[in-house]
Amino acid sequence: MDSIPLVHASLGEQELAAVAEVFASGWPAGQGPRGKALEAQLAERFEVAGAVALSNCGVALHLALLALGVGPGDEVIVSDYSFPAPAHAVRYLDAVPVFADVRADTATVDPRSVADLITPRTVGVIVVDTVGLPADYAELNALAERHGLFVVEDAACSVGATYQGRPAGALAPVACLSFHGRKGATSGEGGALLAADPAVAAHARLRSSFGITNIFDQARVVGLPISTFTEIGYNYKLSDIAAAILQVQLSRLGEFLERRCAVAARYAELLAGEELLTLPRVPADRTHAWQSYLVALDAGTDRAAVAAELRGQGIGCGHGTWASHRQPVFESKQTCPVSADLFERHLAIPMHAELTMDQVERVATALRSAVRAHSGPSRTPGGAA
């Protein structure tokens, strides 16, 4: 029987043609004409003052914190239930990541937890749109404004989602996007920083290229311009090859999102009423980008055994995401009980735009059978999703 991968990128002839154009142009490196065109496309799409194309979302987070003035000893509150890139970015600057617990129903950061963690050393909050679902930005932005804190939106998973009618990526003054292979729009690897303040974007662009101005532009100047290095910078540029792919991918994003939403809706129909599973909840004021589809297993279920059975049938699956505070690298003494519980019980099942409805039905049937075969007495905490 054919395998059903957990993730699968929707890349085809249009993207190949765009890459061929870059090859013919003679400029495959970063910050060339395709990179500039992508940045303009992003700025227009998200209605922001500045967009910077970058090599991945992790470096976008790093540059965002640099531009916002984060320094040694500062505390930055980060969503705990997430790939731990935000906490890594905080540590790059010798600052302190403080982990905020999440809501049990949506797995997005809990504004009450954020409020409880604010101290005189707190300078800002990195809010993660968990696996594609935007967080509670009305509350979080208001809370940050009251305390004079910055807010950065980690929209790595949520391109295509909305919150109160606004697109994810434009829900905070600074946002960071990912175009990794499992995202709704992808160039294999890639990212972007979006900023309402053009000065933040300009700072990020300069630091992303070793602290010097655009080499492509300088190469077109008559004479011999010589760059001057005035800032310590990094090589965080996105190649024009990847930028060309992303221009096509963003133009197809509506198509991809429609397919993912159809998959999510069918999963909801097929798995409804299964007492051993809790399905994703999407509040009425927002939409989901469905980067991932996570189900929470009953606490009496042997998740490893369920995963082994699914994989034995050629069905990809994963653990969901991470309870960041439990990762040894951060040496955190905090507890985030909801995040820790979801880390133990979530299971990611196949979600991408190339799934057929027959495959979705096969996944749902296999999952129902596996959880029933590997469940014991329930220990699910009350209210956990």
Side-chain angles (χ1 to χ4, degrees):
M1 190 174 290
D2 292 340
S3 63
I4 305 176
L6 177 64
V7 297
H8 186 84
S10 299
L11 296 166
E13 294 299 324
Q14 294 179 62
E15 289 81 5
L16 283 172
V19 170
E21 290 177 4
V22 176
F23 287 178
S25 77
W27 188 274
Q31 294 188 336
R34 296 307 289 260
K36 288 185 175 184
L38 173 64
E39 291 179 346
Q41 185 177 354
L42 289 168
E44 180 179 5
R45 183 185 190 96
F46 293 97
E47 298 182 347
V48 295
V52 186
L54 298 165
S55 55
N56 59 67
C57 188
V59 304
L61 289 164
H62 182 198
L63 293 176
L65 298 184
L66 275 171
L68 293 167
V70 175
D74 288 340
E75 292 181 353
V76 179
I77 298 171
V78 301
S79 305
D80 187 69
Y81 192 55
S82 164
F83 188 87
H88 279 280
V90 174
R91 288 285 294 271
Y92 293 160
L93 300 172
D94 293 324
V96 181
V98 180
F99 299 100
D101 210 350
V102 296
R103 289 174 45 173
D105 58 347
T106 63
T108 56
V109 68
D110 188 339
R112 295 171 299 180
S113 178
V114 173
D116 290 343
L117 294 169
I118 295 171
T119 74
R121 294 173 61 190
T122 306
V123 296
V125 185
I126 302 176
V127 179
V128 176
D129 297 337
T130 309
V131 301
L133 182 66
D136 301 297
Y137 283 93
E139 294 175 69
L140 291 162
N141 283 327
L143 178 65
E145 186 174 354
R146 287 198 301 273
H147 291 273
L149 309 177
F150 67 72
V151 178
V152 172
E153 178 187 5
D154 182 339
C157 303
S158 61
V159 173
T162 63
Y163 173 80
Q164 297 183 356
R166 298 176 60 207
L171 303 176
V174 180
C176 301
L177 312 183
S178 173
F179 302 117
H180 176 267
R182 72 181 301 174
K183 310 305 180 186
T186 182
S187 51
E189 292 284 358
L193 180 146
L194 309 177
D197 182 350
V200 171
H203 185 280
R205 183 175 289 104
L206 187 68
R207 289 293 189 99
S208 74
S209 185
F210 289 110
I212 57 175
T213 54
N214 188 290
I215 295 174
F216 177 81
D217 289 343
Q218 291 191 43
R220 302 171 71 190
V221 174
V222 175
L224 185 62
I226 299 175
S227 299
T228 300
F229 293 82
T230 59
E231 300 278 353
I232 293 296
Y234 309 87
N235 187 11
Y236 286 171
K237 301 183 298 296
L238 183 74
S239 74
D240 262 32
I241 296 171
I245 293 170
L246 283 171
Q247 284 191 275
V248 176
Q249 286 275 290
L250 287 171
S251 73
R252 301 178 65 195
L253 184 59
E255 163 198 345
F256 299 152
L257 185 59
E258 184 177 358
R259 292 189 214 162
R260 286 175 181 260
C261 287
V263 169
R266 188 61 177 143
Y267 275 142
E269 292 173 0
L270 294 169
L271 298 172
E274 177 53 69
E275 295 182 355
L276 297 170
L277 296 173
T278 302
L279 305 185
R281 176 178 177 268
V282 182
D285 66 348
R286 66 203 77 176
T287 63
H288 206 304
W290 298 115
Q291 183 228 252
S292 301
Y293 193 94
L294 305 186
V295 295
L297 306 186
D298 181 86
T301 302
D302 184 339
R303 184 175 63 173
V306 170
E309 185 163 329
L310 293 179
R311 289 177 175 175
Q313 297 178 52
I315 297 172
C317 57
H319 66 82
T321 192
W322 280 262
S324 297
H325 76 285
R326 291 177 57 176
Q327 300 311 305
V329 65
F330 302 118
E331 301 179 332
S332 175
K333 306 302 181 186
Q334 289 182 252
T335 58
C336 297
V338 177
S339 177
D341 174 58
L342 295 178
F343 178 51
E344 298 292 338
R345 296 195 298 115
H346 263 162
L347 183 74
I349 58 177
M351 169 53 78
H352 51 81
E354 302 305 310
L355 284 169
T356 67
M357 288 303 150
D358 286 346
Q359 289 176 320
V360 172
E361 291 173 14
R362 182 177 147 204
V363 171
T365 299
L367 179 60
R368 277 187 180 272
S369 174
V371 295
R372 291 172 182 175
H374 299 290
S375 291
S378 175
R379 301 185 302 278
T380 303

